[in-house]
Amino acid sequence: MIGLNALAAISIAYVLMLFVVAFIAERAARRGKTAWLSAPIIYTLSLSIYCTAWTFYGAVGSAARSGFEYLTIYLGPSLVLIGWWWVLRKLVRIGRSQRITSIADLISSRYGKSNLLGVGVTLLAVIGTTPYIALQLQSVTLSVEVFSDTQPSLNPEAPPTAFWVAVGLAIFTVIFGTRNLDANERHHGVVMAIAVEAIVKLAALLAVGAFVVWGISGGVGPMLERIDASALGEWQINEGRWAGLMLLSAAAFLCLPRMFQVMVVENDNDAQLRTAAWAFPLYMLLMSLFIIPIAVVGLDMMPPGSNPDLFVLTVPLAFGQDGLAVLSFLGGFSSATSMVIVAAIALSTMVSNHIVMPLWLRFRTDGASVSGDVRNVVLLSRRLSIAGVLALGYLYYKFSGGGEALSVIGLVSFTGVAQVLPALLGGIFWRGATRNGALTGLTVGFAVWIYTLYLPSFGPDTVLPATFFDNGPLGIGWLRPEALFGIEGMDPLMHAVFWSLSLNTVTFFGASLMSFPSPLERLQGAQFVNIGRAASRTRSWSGGAAQSEDLMVMAQRILGAPEAQALFLRETRKQGLTGILPDPTPEFLEVLERELSGSVGAATAHAMIGQIVGGLSVSVQDLMAVADETAQIMETSARLEAQSEELTRTARQLREANEKLTRLSVQKDAFLSQISHELRTPMTSIRAFSEILGDAEGIEAEDRIRYASIIHDEAVRLTRLLDDLLDLSVLENGQVSLNLRRAQLSELLDRAVASALQGEDRLRVRRDQASEAFWLHTDIDRLAQVCINLIANADKYCDAARPVLEIRVGQSEGRTVVDFIDNGSGVAAEQQDVIFEKFARVSEGEAGGAGLGLAICRQIMTRLGGDISYLPGQGGGAFRVVLPSDQALAAQ
Amino acid sequence: MAGHVLLIEDEPNIIEAIRFILSRDGWQVDTHSNGSDAVEAVQRKTPDVLILDVMLPGRSGFDILRELRDNPETAALPVLMLTARGQSKDRELAERAGVNRFMTKPFSNAEVLEAVRALGPAHQPE
């Protein structure tokens, strides 16, 4: 029999061999030679961590106790791989495209990056996996003890073995699981090592099986007879339990953190999954092939009371096959170590990412930007997490009594992690699934599991008192942990599975339907649920030329055709190719991304290339970054828009100024024409009659006198015109100085009437002297000028037979007004607007005015702070003078 | 020998001066002082020479001239145009409208007389 020291040496040598394998794989990966590391067969073998020491040793034990029931543990995953491979494919694609690092990360990402969910799933995983790790420690410890003592002790007090196994596993995991901090968390070394271990454990089990069948029983025929003869031959299927166990193992296959790690996180491409879908069920079939023969032979040959969980070891030992026993030990050892290592890596990633890092970042808001700093913290937190996970496993092992049958502990774990299933499947297939739904379902399922299975698994009187099981908490019968809601007589495991998963699922759907997802959650939900569509599009681009073509199309759209073509040509030449399409090598993609960044921003460029090159779909961070860039672009364009608006405004102002100048220029031309006409007309008469008088021949004396008087009149007219022009010019330029003094309105009007009528009595003027008896303080002469003009106009233009002008003083809108109303025909409506313009003469010529009078009046009234306007509807010509308000004083 | 002149002008003193000058030379002078019905006045009694002011009440002399030139009966009527506006573009406008002589006020009597004589019937056969 082999001694413990030899066994220890063999174990250490085996571990060293694994180190070498892992190291070589790591180095190859670092050099970029990942082709063989990503071989589908390696991936398939790495999935074998599903078969732990529980399977290796426990399956035989289970077969010895419950017949073929152990098959359910294999059938569940096989069903998933064969029948549900599309679920796995979706999971794997989501994992790759979203750079998912763990199942907690997946759930958290799907439900709007909820850290609360991340923490929840992490805790669930740690609590659920702890018994499992304890199980591995127990099996290794038991197997070691087989060699130290042919009568294996189940006493957990003694064994430093379990402790040292835990420590050893922790060291191995730390060294290989946290060597590097890969962006996508792939561990080529570890995967290669566990692939080797998968072969070792299969070989060991097949070897023991072959020995049992051919070495002991003498061939297949006698073996089958022996099985028929044994108690196992009469074993019957319990359908309910079978269905339940298959469901449970299928769920666990999807949800176990370590399975998620090898299946999703370490996955490289869809081909791996396609191979695994048939190869892994085959592997499990081989693993289960000899379970029954070993169990039957063990039950036959071993002394009564032997632990059937250890038949794989004890049977060869009993027949003196030391070498086979050591191989078998290594197989079990492999099963245990590979499971613990991957589980510890998976759990430490989750603990570190969802619990330690958020806390650290919260307390270290300052220096977190230094990447080296963060890297060290992450590595340290992972290492501590690994140690913590193994310590928990060890403690569970110590306190659970270490005496449970292996498979029972395993099923407790399975049920725990299966609680993630509704949130997981709902999350990737149902866009309506919400964070609240996931949280509620998980919490309910977790609580029910703890209450109905986990705590009872410690046994009565360990955590829960025995009375609790019999009578329920506080004597409430329907709350008994193993007979919830009064359902009795069910298998405790099935009872727990039924209640935890059904309540979990119901509350998950219920809460999802009742709650409303946040925008981020909705976005993530859409990405997760729709991953198949994006991925299938990506696949059609897998040909290198087609991909470059697409990149070209995109680049042309962004950079413009000439630049894009020049860039592609340059890169093609650099790659030493002909044609214009370069291979989409990483270097080329980097160059292209840099070029595109200049145009559309880094995040957008990254997302676009990612979309085309495939595999990588757009993550939320990418989208956020795109949104940020878009916001910046919008800001810039808003600024440009404001500038262009300003330019437009300036242009409009310039145009308006120009139009005004043009208008002024036209007005000036018209004015000059008018002045020219007004000056030349009298000058024409003067010149013509001067010439007539000059050659005095044939002119009557009478005519001569008349012609002389015409010359005189026209000269006077010219003078008056020049006076008016000068007056208007002075008034318009604002150069007039007002001569303010006090006078009574009546006095002012007396003077105006006298001056305008020059003693003639054609026009009668009617006034109300009493209303005019108040003082004014203004430029009296100017105001008088206005009045004279109005009275003279009435005298000139009033066409009544007996012309009468009425001067009325009154109030209008709080101002004192003086109205001049005659009894003539007045001013036609269409001319009322223009009579105040320069040279606007209403009547035809002979009255002799140049048409400047009213224009001058308006200028004067404006200067004085009053107003003058035509007053329509008075039956005759009517003008209203609004007196300057502050100068109009109250009557004496 | 002298003919018939129609003077369309609104300024009474100028009318009187031109009438005196032309009558003394033997011309028969009719006058009309409104622009709006000036064309009818011409058609009623087509003169040998038309003297036309530009700034008339109701209608501009340019308009009147254009209408006369559009009518075959008066298309060849000799027209002397007088204006007080004195801008160079007025001369262009007048020439484009088909004027025979264009004169800016104030004019010299001899000039007007010479122009009417030049346009008048006595000289046309030459």
Side-chain angles (χ1 to χ4, degrees):
Chain A
M1 156 130 209
I2 290 176
L4 269 187
N5 288 342
L7 195 67
I10 290 169
S11 303
I12 289 169
Y14 178 70
V15 169
L16 282 177
M17 188 270 288
L18 290 181
F19 263 114
V20 171
V21 168
F23 182 72
I24 291 170
E26 287 279 314
R27 225 173 46 170
R30 258 205 310 284
R31 287 180 186 165
K33 295 179 183 167
T34 51
W36 63 280
L37 296 172
S38 304
I41 195 68
I42 304 287
Y43 177 76
T44 306
L45 286 173
S46 76
L47 291 186
S48 77
I49 55 157
Y50 178 74
C51 308
T52 64
W54 167 30
T55 319
F56 193 83
Y57 295 120
V60 174
S62 170
R65 290 187 205 94
S66 321
F68 287 91
E69 193 177 285
Y70 74 94
L71 279 178
T72 57
I73 304 304
Y74 295 131
L75 283 174
S78 298
L79 285 178
V80 169
L81 276 167
I82 295 164
W84 273 25
W85 60 271
W86 44 279
V87 175
L88 291 178
R89 192 184 60 186
K90 189 160 191 175
L91 260 184
V92 163
R93 282 178 177 169
I94 291 171
R96 278 205 310 266
S97 70
Q98 303 282 319
R99 295 179 181 164
I100 296 295
T101 60
S102 67
I103 189 161
D105 191 25
L106 180 97
I107 299 286
S108 147
S109 296
R110 162 60 181 85
Y111 296 103
K113 312 251 160 188
S114 158
N115 204 44
L116 187 61
L117 265 176
V119 171
V121 175
T122 302
L123 287 178
L124 180 70
V126 169
I127 295 172
T129 309
T130 302
Y132 222 135
I133 290 176
L135 181 66
Q136 310 305 314
L137 295 177
Q138 180 181 340
S139 65
V140 173
T141 308
L142 284 175
S143 64
V144 169
E145 282 169 359
V146 166
F147 286 89
S148 65
D149 185 350
T150 42
Q151 195 61 43
S153 152
L154 292 178
N155 179 10
E157 299 301 321
T161 326
F163 179 75
W164 290 117
V165 168
V167 171
L169 285 174
I171 292 170
F172 184 89
T173 312
V174 164
I175 290 174
F176 272 99
T178 62
R179 274 169 60 91
N180 53 355
L181 206 57
D182 230 23
N184 51 8
E185 302 292 342
R186 296 211 174 114
H187 306 81
H188 291 290
V190 172
V191 169
M192 191 51 67
I194 58 180
V196 169
E197 290 194 295
I199 296 170
V200 170
K201 63 192 177 194
L202 180 62
L205 208 55
L206 289 178
V208 173
F211 170 71
V212 165
V213 172
W214 286 279
I216 299 176
S217 304
V220 178
M223 186 68 236
L224 288 176
E225 282 166 30
R226 199 193 270 256
I227 292 170
D228 280 342
S230 75
L232 284 180
E234 282 131 47
W235 183 81
Q236 295 292 315
I237 285 179
N238 172 348
E239 287 98 348
R241 195 171 152 85
W242 266 60
L245 284 175
M246 273 180 0
L247 169 73
L248 198 56
S249 57
F253 186 70
L254 286 170
C255 300
L256 278 169
R258 68 171 195 278
M259 290 316 297
F260 193 89
Q261 177 77 30
V262 290
M263 194 158 56
V264 177
V265 180
E266 308 284 353
N267 177 277
D268 197 50
N269 52 57
D270 284 1
Q272 293 180 331
L273 200 63
R274 277 200 295 279
T275 303
W278 59 265
F280 189 61
L282 187 66
Y283 181 91
M284 288 192 294
L285 178 71
L286 291 176
M287 285 293 279
S288 57
L289 207 54
F290 292 106
I291 301 294
I292 293 288
I294 297 170
V296 169
V297 169
L299 286 174
D300 269 4
M301 312 289 235
M302 299 308 288
S306 303
N307 185 352
D309 284 335
L310 292 174
F311 282 167
V312 180
L313 271 182
T314 49
V315 169
L317 277 178
F319 287 88
Q321 297 287 337
D322 280 6
L324 189 58
V326 169
L327 180 62
S328 172
F329 169 80
L330 283 180
F333 185 73
S334 292
S335 310
T337 50
S338 55
M339 179 272 162
V340 172
I341 289 164
V342 178
I345 289 173
L347 289 178
S348 74
T349 305
M350 287 156 73
V351 170
S352 156
N353 286 2
H354 296 283
I355 298 177
V356 179
M357 289 313 294
L359 286 177
W360 184 78
L361 286 174
R362 181 166 299 177
F363 293 119
R364 277 288 310 276
T365 48
D366 49 336
S369 54
V370 189
S371 64
D373 200 13
V374 175
R375 192 189 148 79
N376 287 336
V377 172
V378 171
L379 282 179
L380 184 66
S381 85
R382 296 234 169 130
R383 284 168 186 160
L384 290 178
S385 305
I386 288 170
V389 165
L390 282 164
L392 276 178
Y394 175 73
L395 289 176
Y396 184 93
Y397 163 72
K398 234 171 124 63
F399 289 108
S400 69
E404 288 282 338
L406 296 182
S407 64
V408 176
I409 302 182
L411 289 171
V412 170
S413 267
F414 271 23
T415 315
V417 296
Q419 303 306 323
V420 182
L421 192 68
L424 179 70
L425 292 182
I428 64 173
F429 287 108
W430 183 39
R431 286 176 68 167
T434 70
R435 174 178 165 275
N436 284 352
L439 262 181
T440 314
L442 270 175
T443 310
V444 168
F446 185 62
V448 173
W449 170 69
I450 291 267
Y451 186 68
T452 58
L453 196 61
Y454 189 73
L455 294 182
S457 78
F458 288 95
D461 285 329
T462 342
V463 183
L464 298 174
T467 53
F468 206 92
F469 289 90
D470 298 334
N471 304 323
L474 309 169
I476 303 170
W478 59 271
L479 278 183
R480 274 173 294 165
E482 296 185 342
L484 218 50
F485 305 115
I487 294 182
E488 294 193 51
M490 226 172 141
D491 178 279
L493 176 70
M494 285 305 107
H495 172 265
V497 168
F498 171 74
W499 280 119
S500 62
L501 277 181
S502 55
L503 289 177
N504 179 337
T505 307
V506 167
T507 51
F508 166 69
F509 277 102
S512 286
L513 288 174
M514 282 190 291
S515 57
F516 205 71
S518 69
L520 181 60
E521 221 183 308
R522 224 183 300 207
L523 185 66
Q524 287 291 88
Q527 286 204 7
F528 276 55
V529 174
N530 298 335
I531 192 93
R533 262 170 263 162
S536 62
R537 200 180 57 207
T538 302
R539 217 164 33 161
S540 66
W541 278 335
S542 59
Q547 223 169 55
S548 295
E549 188 104 37
D550 288 324
L551 289 170
M552 181 72 159
V553 169
M554 176 186 69
Q556 283 187 345
R557 232 175 257 171
I558 294 169
L559 301 173
E563 268 102 289
Q565 280 159 8
L567 171 71
F568 274 58
L569 202 64
R570 203 163 58 234
E571 291 300 312
T572 313
R573 296 289 166 274
K574 209 186 280 174
Q575 290 179 3
L577 299 171
T578 53
I580 60 151
L581 288 180
D583 286 340
T585 59
E587 294 77 34
F588 168 61
L589 292 179
E590 210 172 289
V591 170
L592 182 60
E593 187 173 330
R594 213 163 39 237
E595 288 289 327
L596 294 180
S597 300
S599 299
V600 294
T604 313
H606 181 72
M608 286 172 150
I609 292 190
Q611 279 287 6
I612 290 183
V613 175
L616 177 79
S617 90
V618 188
S619 77
V620 172
Q621 283 95 330
D622 292 341
L623 281 177
M624 294 297 165
V626 170
D628 280 351
E629 283 171 5
T630 312
Q632 281 172 11
I633 291 169
M634 278 168 67
E635 205 175 290
T636 313
S637 82
R639 221 168 28 238
L640 285 174
E641 209 171 297
Q643 280 174 358
S644 102
E645 237 169 59
E646 206 178 303
L647 282 174
T648 312
R649 205 161 45 238
T650 312
R652 200 178 55 231
Q653 284 168 352
L654 282 173
R655 202 166 51 239
E656 281 169 4
N658 188 38
E659 276 166 13
K660 196 172 168 186
L661 283 174
T662 311
R663 215 162 43 235
L664 282 176
S665 162
V666 168
Q667 278 178 2
K668 193 197 70 185
D669 283 354
F671 182 61
L672 286 176
S673 274
Q674 279 286 0
I675 289 179
S676 168
H677 182 263
E678 296 304 324
L679 291 174
R680 283 171 192 270
T681 301
M683 278 162 68
T684 307
S685 300
I686 291 170
R687 183 174 176 183
F689 285 110
S690 313
E691 284 181 12
I692 290 169
L693 290 176
D695 94 52
E697 214 182 311
I699 304 172
E700 311 284 321
E702 192 185 321
D703 283 342
R704 191 175 299 146
I705 294 165
R706 200 159 59 82
Y707 295 162
S709 94
I710 289 175
I711 292 173
H712 173 260
D713 286 351
E714 295 287 13
V716 170
R717 180 176 159 193
L718 258 182
T719 313
R720 202 169 59 230
L721 177 66
L722 287 172
D723 284 346
D724 281 354
L725 278 173
L726 283 173
D727 205 12
L728 193 61
S729 158
V730 167
L731 282 165
E732 280 184 339
N733 290 335
Q735 292 161 339
V736 66
S737 56
L738 294 178
N739 176 20
L740 298 183
R741 59 187 177 88
R742 284 164 60 86
Q744 285 222 337
L745 179 63
S746 55
E747 181 191 324
L748 184 149
L749 286 175
D750 287 347
R751 227 179 70 204
V753 170
S755 168
L757 301 182
Q758 304 269 335
E760 288 176 27
D761 56 356
R762 193 184 87 90
L763 182 73
R764 280 183 50 217
V765 177
R766 270 197 223 135
R767 291 164 59 187
D768 174 13
Q769 297 278 353
S771 67
E772 297 164 1
F774 60 89
W775 290 89
L776 296 167
H777 183 244
T778 184
D779 189 323
I780 300 299
D781 293 335
R782 284 296 189 181
L783 188 55
Q785 189 185 344
V786 172
C787 295
I788 290 166
N789 204 300
L790 291 175
I791 296 164
N793 276 354
D795 186 29
K796 260 186 271 179
Y797 300 122
C798 182
D799 50 2
R802 300 167 132 219
V804 178
L805 175 69
E806 188 174 359
I807 301 177
R808 271 189 229 150
V809 179
Q811 296 286 319
S812 170
E813 293 168 10
R815 312 270 304 256
T816 305
V817 296
V818 184
D819 295 340
F820 296 79
I821 303 168
D822 65 35
N823 59 348
S825 52
V827 177
E830 66 272 13
Q831 292 192 310
Q832 289 169 6
D833 285 339
V834 300
I835 49 175
F836 292 101
E837 302 289 327
K838 286 170 278 204
F839 301 112
R841 266 183 314 187
V842 173
S843 67
E844 288 158 22
E846 73 273 16
L852 292 174
L854 285 174
I856 292 171
C857 288
R858 171 157 281 184
Q859 284 292 337
I860 290 172
M861 289 318 295
T862 307
R863 293 283 158 222
L864 295 181
D867 195 18
I868 182 171
S869 57
Y870 189 78
L871 200 59
Q874 300 296 318
F879 290 86
R880 166 165 287 182
V881 173
V882 181
L883 295 180
S885 63
D886 44 343
Q887 282 100 358
L889 303 176
Q892 267 182 323
Chain B
M1 65 159 238
H4 169 219
V5 171
L6 177 58
L7 169 63
I8 302 180
E9 164 70 66
D10 63 326
E11 192 69 31
N13 290 337
I14 295 176
I15 294 172
E16 179 151 11
I18 292 176
R19 183 199 290 279
F20 180 87
I21 296 160
L22 294 180
S23 303
R24 197 170 54 179
D25 199 46
W27 294 85
Q28 183 205 332
V29 179
D30 285 328
T31 63
H32 186 82
S33 62
N34 200 329
S36 41
D37 54 357
V39 174
E40 286 77 14
V42 172
Q43 277 160 357
R44 231 177 1 250
K45 191 179 175 191
T46 305
D48 296 315
V49 177
L50 177 65
I51 301 178
L52 185 59
D53 186 25
V54 172
M55 280 178 95
L56 289 165
R59 196 171 182 195
S60 108
F62 297 126
D63 268 4
I64 296 166
L65 179 56
R66 272 192 287 270
E67 188 173 339
L68 290 174
R69 290 295 184 237
D70 283 346
N71 187 338
E73 283 178 35
T74 51
L77 177 67
V79 175
L80 164 63
M81 216 163 190
L82 302 172
T83 180
R85 294 214 303 192
Q87 290 194 340
S88 56
K89 71 175 180 195
D90 284 345
R91 180 176 288 275
E92 288 166 33
L93 273 173
E95 277 166 6
R96 220 174 301 151
V99 79
N100 300 86
R101 282 289 188 100
F102 186 83
M103 234 175 253
T104 306
K105 296 176 186 171
F107 45 80
S108 84
N109 293 350
E111 215 178 348
V112 172
L113 194 56
E114 182 274 320
V116 173
R117 281 176 180 166
L119 296 171
H123 294 270
Q124 274 177 352
E126 291 173 25

